[in-house]
Amino acid sequence: MPVKMKDIARELGVSVVTISKALRDHPDISKATRERILLKVKELGYRPNLTARSLVTGRSSLIGLIVPDLIHAFFTDIARGLSQAMRQHGYFLVLSSSEEDPDLEEEEIEQMLAHRLDALIVATCQSSAESLRKIQQGDTPLVLLDRSFKELPSYFVGSDDVAVGKLATEHLLAAGCRRVAHIRGPENSVGHRRLKGYLDTLKKHGIEMPAEYLIQAPRADVDGHQNGVAALRRLLKLNQPPDGIFCYNDVVAMGVIAEAFKQGIAVPRDLAVIGCGNMLYDAEVRVPLSSVDQRSAEIGQRAARLILDILAAKADKKTLDYREIILQPRLAARESSALGAGTGSKGTQSKPKRGRP
């Protein structure tokens, strides 16, 4: 038979109310009593019935997070930062991947809402805001992560993706690249904004790139590596292949680098590459990847703070106005775009030329 709260109370000679308060870390319970109760809970293998508790309290202590994939370190770092911050306040994370499939995302959302979540966070792959608008009309607070819609006012946490595009493109130009291609992401806010940053930077410098230098990777998170390989193959068929590539994310960039070496192209001497996401990697990889750091762990932490504010306002029967929290990205320059590599310099020339021999 499963252990019940009254069994623990009987063993310790205290009331069920005392046990309940100790498990909720209520200030009425002394530290010594709480430690004694927790020790007995562990000894007897007691597990609280969270479903029953949620019916009484109106809280499940669960926060749902749906992301496009669990391959890209960007989303796992966000999940880690979010989970650590929420755990300190008695909330636990339920995580799911939509695999960049809008239909699967809607199914995952329905399943999560059925578990009476206290809040739901979604890095959506939807092309329309309609299904998300319906969630906003319900009782579960919704926070959008990384991706948003102009037509949908919402709670949002993410990075400045226009700045991502500008940082990456400026860096490649400063490293001596003259023919900068962009492997862009899907048709969502992130893909559009990074593209805008790329185009704005070229315009600022009076540079016009051929249309063939822009290639789309529609499933850049789930199939990013394959997209990078395929994109570089296309670019290498041009009369003048690029000498620098800004990739939508690090997964795409790693695919580009892998294919470059396969084709006998030296990175960064013949081709400079930069990604986005600043994913963790072994420092001993053949060419450490330059990237734009979106501050993913901090995005998770800021999302947690926003959720706590929303839930506090809800408990006080107040409405918290929609907020957008946008973090500024940072450049993480490494060997894959090393300044002056195309001429063998150590960066003493401000505009060295690159190119295949």
Side-chain angles (χ1 to χ4, degrees):
M1 292 291 291
V3 177
K4 297 181 179 180
M5 202 179 293
K6 65 181 181 181
D7 299 324
I8 302 170
R10 184 171 56 251
E11 289 260 351
L12 296 176
V14 298
S15 69
V16 171
V17 172
T18 299
I19 302 295
S20 176
K21 286 185 174 182
L23 294 177
R24 290 184 284 115
D25 200 17
H26 197 282
D28 285 355
I29 307 301
S30 70
K31 182 179 179 181
T33 300
R34 183 173 184 273
E35 288 177 353
R36 189 162 64 99
I37 289 171
L38 292 179
L39 187 64
K40 181 60 69 173
V41 163
K42 186 174 181 180
E43 178 189 323
L44 297 178
Y46 170 73
R47 293 185 179 86
N49 186 330
L50 296 179
T51 302
R53 180 188 293 178
S54 69
L55 292 172
V56 174
T57 64
R59 285 181 46 199
S60 66
S61 299
L62 300 176
I63 305 297
L65 172 63
I66 300 176
V67 297
D69 81 274
L70 295 172
I71 299 170
H72 200 307
F74 172 69
F75 292 112
T76 54
D77 282 349
I78 286 176
R80 186 181 301 112
L82 176 64
S83 179
Q84 289 173 347
M86 296 307 298
R87 194 182 306 126
Q88 295 174 8
H89 296 271
Y91 291 92
F92 299 91
L93 194 64
V94 180
L95 180 61
S96 180
S97 170
S98 67
E99 299 176 21
E100 286 196 275
D101 181 334
D103 293 333
L104 180 57
E105 180 184 294
E106 289 195 12
E107 290 179 19
E108 294 289 351
I109 288 173
E110 288 303 317
Q111 286 295 321
M112 286 209 176
L113 292 177
H115 284 82
R116 301 173 63 89
L117 298 172
D118 290 330
L120 177 63
I121 309 167
V122 181
T124 184
C125 61
Q126 301 291 329
S127 59
S128 163
E130 289 313 305
S131 61
L132 300 172
R133 197 187 307 276
K134 291 177 183 177
I135 298 171
Q136 285 184 333
Q137 293 167 356
D139 192 49
T140 303
L142 172 68
V143 175
L144 296 186
L145 189 76
D146 186 50
R147 304 156 182 210
S148 62
F149 295 91
K150 287 182 180 179
E151 67 273 22
L152 183 70
S154 62
Y155 300 115
F156 173 77
V157 185
S159 63
D160 184 339
D161 284 298
V162 174
V164 167
K166 289 181 178 179
L167 272 176
T169 310
E170 286 280 9
H171 175 67
L172 291 175
L173 294 175
C177 298
R178 289 294 175 269
R179 302 183 303 279
V180 179
H182 176 38
I183 304 174
R184 63 153 301 177
E187 294 288 341
N188 59 28
S189 62
V190 178
H192 291 309
R193 288 168 185 162
R194 290 182 192 172
L195 171 61
K196 176 174 170 51
Y198 164 77
L199 294 174
D200 286 353
T201 303
L202 294 181
K203 184 177 180 180
K204 170 188 167 186
H205 289 273
I207 300 171
E208 187 172 341
M209 294 295 170
E212 294 82 3
Y213 278 24
L214 183 62
I215 295 180
Q216 186 166 28
R219 286 167 57 86
D221 290 307
V222 173
D223 299 323
H225 191 279
Q226 300 94 303
N227 285 174
V229 169
L232 183 60
R233 287 175 181 171
R234 284 177 57 186
L235 290 168
L236 292 179
K237 291 178 182 178
L238 300 176
N239 290 332
Q240 280 197 312
D243 57 5
I245 302 178
F246 161 38
C247 302
Y248 172 77
N249 63 23
D250 288 350
V251 183
V252 173
M254 294 303 285
V256 167
I257 291 176
E259 182 63 17
F261 281 114
K262 187 176 178 180
Q263 299 273 356
I265 298 167
V267 176
R269 189 192 68 193
D270 303 330
L271 177 67
V273 180
I274 186 169
C276 179
N278 201 22
M279 63 189 285
L280 295 175
Y281 63 91
D282 189 330
E284 301 301 318
V285 295
R286 192 167 180 179
V287 179
L289 177 64
S290 292
S291 187
V292 178
D293 185 349
Q294 297 165 269
R295 300 160 63 184
S296 49
E298 189 175 346
I299 288 175
Q301 294 162 4
R302 295 292 294 274
R305 273 188 265 168
L306 176 57
I307 290 167
L308 291 171
D309 287 346
I310 295 169
L311 294 177
K314 185 179 179 182
D316 292 338
K317 301 189 184 308
K318 296 178 181 177
T319 301
L320 186 70
D321 291 339
Y322 286 129
R323 295 179 184 173
E324 283 194 350
I325 300 171
I326 300 176
L327 280 67
Q328 290 303 308
R330 298 179 289 224
L331 180 68
R334 300 188 181 95
E335 189 180 335
S336 71
S337 62
L339 179 64
T343 60
S345 75
K346 296 298 182 182
T348 55
Q349 301 178 27
S350 61
K351 295 290 184 180
K353 293 182 179 179
R354 291 179 181 271
R356 298 180 65 184

